């Protein structure tokens, strides 16, 4: 686990820096959050796969687009990195590990605020701020924070005369916490994150199929390299995520009942040079809208003795609409509907302070159309 204070002391504001400090954890972030992937002990899943080998969760909510959870670590309470299968304990199933990101809760006792600015080479400019407001002391509080970050690209497409792999992102979060009683708590979170980047995917060598096609048409291809013979279409990726989370927790009779509901919209836009060369070739535009609804219920024991257990129910519905346009060649729409249900449980017995044994069971049912 890494605390928010640890992140502040080390000046870490994105997950790429965190992954460098944790053994066995690798983040593959090639050019855009759409293609980001997380690998635990060398095992992972790339892109927006239906089921990720390493699950990523923000305040308990499973992330379909893993990379969108990593672009900005804003006002974080802690990050937990768990190795191995975690599906009998919470959330959506994970076979090789889980990363749980928890944002800071409002403080019902003290008013506070913070501003942070960063400047660097490549015209790097970043600004972050937060404010915590107790509304009813000891009972009700709100916390607001936001950020904006810009940086010029560190590579250049000489053909088009533009910098690539730049940073342009901004976002905000509002969180409300209500301690209804000593045993019942309610939390509501609303947040929005946007990012955009110009990418350059110029290739370094041609594929056999490209060479064969060129030969059949009597075309002589130029030498390939990044830079001088880069792509002739300006690549672009843009993503936006809007998320709402409602969380209740109730302690009673040596147990804790927790419910989690979330609603999320994810919009992506990608412009890509299909042949990735300076030849006047084929470009494509892909847009996607992903709507996700998630509900989870957990009942966990809170005994003083060596035995503890947890049972839970999980439901997630995803509705995806994507449009791909290749001018003059192809235009198509893809609709995907995915419903995921699960029941899980875990029992642990502690023999002493050093040794314990656990057994868990999970049943998943996914229906994809």
């Amino acid at each position: 686990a890494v605390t928010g204070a640890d992140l502040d002391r080390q000046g870490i504001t994105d997950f790429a820096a965190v992954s460098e400090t944790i053994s066995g954890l690798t983040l593959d972030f090639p050019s855009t959050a759409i293609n980001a992937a997380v690998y635990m002990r060398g095992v992972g899943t790339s892109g927006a796969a239906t089921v990720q080998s390493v699950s990523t969760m923000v305040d308990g909510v499973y992330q379909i687009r893993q990379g969108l959870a990593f672009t900005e670590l804003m006002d974080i309470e802690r990050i937990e990195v768990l190795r191995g299968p975690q599906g009998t304990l919470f959330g959506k199933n994970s076979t090789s590990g889980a990363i749980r990101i928890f944002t800071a809760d409002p403080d019902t006792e003290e008013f506070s605020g913070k501003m942070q600015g960063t400047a660097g080479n490549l015209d790097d400019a970043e600004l972050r701020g937060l404010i915590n407001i107790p509304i009813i002391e000891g009972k009700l509080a709100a916390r607001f924070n936001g950020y904006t970050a810009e940086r010029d690209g560190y590579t250049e497409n000489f053909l088009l005369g533009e910098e690539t792999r730049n940073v342009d992102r901004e976002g905000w979060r509002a969180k409300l916490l209500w301690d209804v009683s000593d045993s019942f708590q309610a939390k509501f979170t609303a947040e929005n994150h946007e990012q955009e980047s110009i990418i350059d995917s110029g290739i370094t060598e041609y594929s056999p199929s490209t060479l064969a096609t060129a030969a059949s048409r009597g075309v002589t291809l130029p030498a390939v390299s990044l830079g001088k013979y880069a792509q002739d279409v300006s690549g672009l990726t843009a993503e936006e995520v809007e998320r709402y989370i409602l969380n209740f927790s109730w302690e009673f009779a040596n147990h804790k009942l927790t419910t989690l509901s979330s609603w999320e919209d994810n919009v992506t836009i990608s412009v890509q040079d299909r042949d990735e060369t300076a030849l006047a070739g084929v470009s494509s535009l892909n847009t996607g809208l992903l709507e996700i609804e998630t509900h989870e219920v957990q009942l966990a024991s809170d005994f003083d003795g060596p035995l503890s257990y947890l049972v839970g129910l999980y439901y997630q519905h995803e509705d995806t609409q994507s449009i791909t346009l290749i001018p003059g060649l192809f235009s198509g729409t893809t609709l995907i509907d995915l419903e995921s249900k699960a029941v899980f449980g875990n029992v642990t017995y502690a023999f002493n302070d050093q040794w314990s044994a656990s057994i868990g069971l999970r049943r998943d049912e996914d229906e994809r159309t």
Side-chain angles (χ1 to χ4, degrees):
V2 181
T3 67
D6 293 334
L7 299 177
D8 288 342
R9 280 194 295 269
Q10 298 177 59
I12 293 175
T13 58
D14 61 67
F15 191 80
V18 175
S19 64
E20 296 171 0
T21 65
I22 298 175
S23 175
L25 180 64
T26 305
L27 175 64
D28 181 15
F29 207 90
S31 58
T32 165
I34 296 175
N35 300 317
V38 180
Y39 295 87
M40 194 86 72
R41 294 169 171 165
V43 178
T45 312
S46 61
T50 302
V51 179
Q52 300 285 350
S53 300
V54 181
S55 64
T56 306
M57 301 178 182
V58 176
D59 287 335
V61 179
Y62 175 83
Q63 300 297 292
I64 302 297
R65 304 281 190 189
Q66 291 182 308
L68 290 177
F70 304 145
T71 56
E72 180 76 18
L73 296 179
M74 176 179 64
D75 196 22
I76 300 299
E77 178 186 325
R78 71 185 186 279
I79 299 175
E80 298 176 355
V81 178
L82 310 174
R83 299 177 179 85
Q86 306 295 328
T88 65
L89 294 171
F90 49 77
K92 197 156 185 173
N93 197 29
S94 60
T95 55
S96 57
I99 299 169
R100 307 179 76 193
I101 301 172
F102 295 91
T103 62
D105 284 340
D107 184 348
T108 60
E109 299 293 340
E110 294 184 3
F111 177 90
S112 62
K114 183 171 71 171
M115 290 288 292
Q116 180 190 53
T118 303
N121 64 329
L122 300 176
D123 289 334
D124 180 33
E126 303 176 17
L127 182 65
R128 298 174 181 83
L130 72 87
I131 184 170
N132 185 91
I133 305 173
I135 301 173
I136 301 176
E137 186 175 353
K139 285 288 185 180
L140 183 65
R143 193 176 184 94
F144 306 94
N145 47 54
Y147 67 92
T148 178
E150 295 182 357
R151 174 182 54 74
D152 291 343
Y154 58 84
T155 56
E156 184 176 356
N157 183 323
F158 291 103
L159 182 69
L160 299 176
E162 66 179 11
E163 296 174 338
T164 56
R165 293 179 173 84
N166 64 309
V167 170
D168 188 355
R169 65 181 190 266
E170 62 183 15
W172 58 266
R173 181 188 302 118
K175 203 168 188 179
L176 186 69
L177 181 146
W178 182 21
D179 284 327
V180 182
S181 67
D182 292 339
S183 60
F184 187 77
Q185 184 184 78
K187 285 188 288 188
F188 175 73
T189 304
E191 58 185 311
N192 181 277
H193 303 272
E194 298 180 44
Q195 64 173 347
E196 182 178 306
S197 180
I198 299 174
I199 60 173
D200 187 352
S201 303
I203 59 175
T204 55
E205 63 179 15
Y206 294 115
S207 67
S209 61
T210 301
L211 292 172
T213 301
S216 67
R217 297 178 180 178
V219 175
T220 301
L221 298 175
V224 289
S225 68
L226 292 171
K228 184 178 179 181
Y229 299 105
Q231 60 193 38
D232 66 320
V233 175
S234 179
L236 171 71
T237 65
E239 299 105 14
E240 179 180 4
V241 60
E242 184 176 341
R243 184 185 299 125
Y244 302 93
I245 304 173
L246 184 61
N247 178 252
F248 296 107
S249 61
W250 180 33
E251 297 179 2
F252 65 96
N254 293 322
H255 286 80
K256 183 175 182 179
L257 179 67
T258 304
T259 68
L260 178 70
S261 296
S262 71
W263 298 265
E264 183 175 312
D265 288 344
N266 178 207
V267 180
T268 60
I269 299 174
S270 174
V271 177
Q272 186 177 0
D273 186 333
R274 285 291 181 175
D275 62 22
E276 299 183 340
T277 72
L279 293 176
V282 178
S283 62
S284 67
L285 168 66
N286 182 270
T287 63
L289 172 61
L290 177 61
E291 297 178 339
I292 310 168
E293 180 179 346
T294 303
H295 301 282
E296 183 173 355
V297 179
Q298 289 186 12
L299 179 65
S301 66
D302 187 20
F303 302 127
D304 293 332
L307 181 68
S308 62
Y309 57 84
L310 178 148
V311 292
L313 299 171
Y314 183 82
Y315 173 84
Q316 186 175 65
H317 180 259
E318 304 167 24
D319 187 12
T320 304
Q321 176 179 329
S322 62
I323 300 173
T324 301
L325 174 62
I326 303 177
L329 290 179
F330 176 79
S331 176
T333 301
T334 302
L335 302 176
I336 300 175
D337 185 89
L338 176 62
E339 189 175 60
S340 179
K341 304 174 184 177
V343 57
F344 56 90
N346 199 89
V347 179
T348 300
Y349 187 87
F351 301 105
N352 52 45
D353 292 340
Q354 289 79 35
W355 289 93
S356 64
S358 296
I359 185 169
L361 182 68
R362 181 184 182 96
R363 176 181 172 82
D364 283 293
E365 183 177 312
D366 292 349
E367 183 176 337
R368 178 181 171 96
T369 305

